Structures are given as structure tokens and as C-alpha cells.
Amino acid sequence: MAVSKDYLDWLCERLEPLGPIPPRRMFSGAGLFIDGAMFAIILDDILYIKSDAQTAPQFDAAGCDPFRYEKKTGTTIVTALRRCPDDAFDEDDLLLDWARLGLEAGRRAALKKATRKARVKKAPAKASRAKKVKAKP
């Protein structure tokens, strides 16, 4: 699963109105990020957009299949990444609308992750086990 540089550059240029998109190599593809939130990934020159419970109905209505892969154990994993509808590539505004859905889901996921990390507190330091010695009068 590779991504061609030409396709990556072309797609980042079309999505530029959303903000700077520094792609990061991931899983033989490229993850697309804005402000640290991943909103899409490109694998085999196919754009998959992040979804969540709030955006999944829109992806379902458009017939956008989730990205699936099979583990070595034979278990199929279904991800929250949805294939971008083909007609989205016909108009920049439509592509940007789908990307915004992914960005919203990506920001919610990043916020949820940060909140979860903040809740995990370090274990309190244990009291010193040194024996207390009574001072002699």
C-alpha cells in the first residue's frame, strides 16, 4: 500500500483551503493532519477520511465503505476511516466538505485522547519507608 508523490501533492493542494497539511508517512501510505489532528489517510492512492459516531451516518448514506484489513490471525479489523466518495473529486467544494467532516472527527478524537491522558494520574509517591528513630533524651 503505497502512495504516489504526485497524488499526495495534488490532493494536499486541493485541500489547502483547510489549512497547512503536513503529510506524514504511515502504514506505507500518508496521514493527513491539520493542527495535529489526523483527518485522513491515503493508501494505494485512495483517500480514506476519518469518521466517528457523529459523521458515520453521512458516510453510510453516500455508500462510503470503511477501510478494512486482516490481521495475521485472520481477524478482520474495520476502522473509522471511510473511503472518500468518487464524486467528491469532481468539485473542490464537495471534496472540502467531506474533508471537513474528517477534520471534525479527527479533532474530536484528539480531544478525547487528550482528556483521557489528563485523567490518568501518576500514582502518588509512596511515603518513605525509612524507620523513624526516636531521639534519646
Side-chain angles (χ1 to χ4, degrees):
M1 290 186 210
V3 58
S4 68
K5 183 178 179 342
D6 289 341
Y7 182 74
L8 179 61
D9 291 345
W10 173 80
L11 196 52
C12 286
E13 185 177 311
R14 293 199 56 199
L15 297 173
E16 192 175 39
L18 298 176
I21 302 172
R24 297 182 198 164
R25 292 287 174 190
M26 299 176 70
F27 311 113
S28 302
L32 303 182
F33 294 78
I34 292 181
D35 299 328
M38 187 179 103
F39 70 96
I41 191 167
I42 304 167
L43 299 166
D44 282 337
D45 287 348
I46 298 171
L47 176 63
Y48 293 93
I49 300 173
K50 190 167 188 73
S51 70
D52 61 9
Q54 290 183 26
T55 60
Q58 289 164 285
F59 285 97
D60 290 339
C64 302
D65 293 329
F67 176 69
R68 303 167 193 261
Y69 65 94
E70 193 171 309
K71 293 174 76 173
K72 290 180 182 179
T73 60
T75 305
T76 299
I77 303 298
V78 179
T79 70
L81 296 164
R82 300 295 194 103
R83 186 177 179 136
C84 184
D86 291 336
D87 64 347
F89 297 101
D90 296 338
E91 294 181 37
D92 284 346
D93 288 341
L94 188 54
L95 179 61
L96 290 170
D97 288 344
W98 284 106
R100 282 185 191 98
L101 289 176
L103 185 54
E104 291 167 12
R107 286 181 173 153
R108 281 190 294 271
L111 181 61
K112 189 175 183 180
K113 184 177 180 180
T115 303
R116 203 170 35 239
K117 280 185 178 182
R119 276 193 231 148
V120 176
K121 295 180 181 178
K122 292 183 181 180
K126 292 185 179 180
S128 173
R129 293 185 178 224
K131 292 182 180 179
K132 294 183 180 179
V133 178
K134 292 184 180 180
K136 293 184 181 180

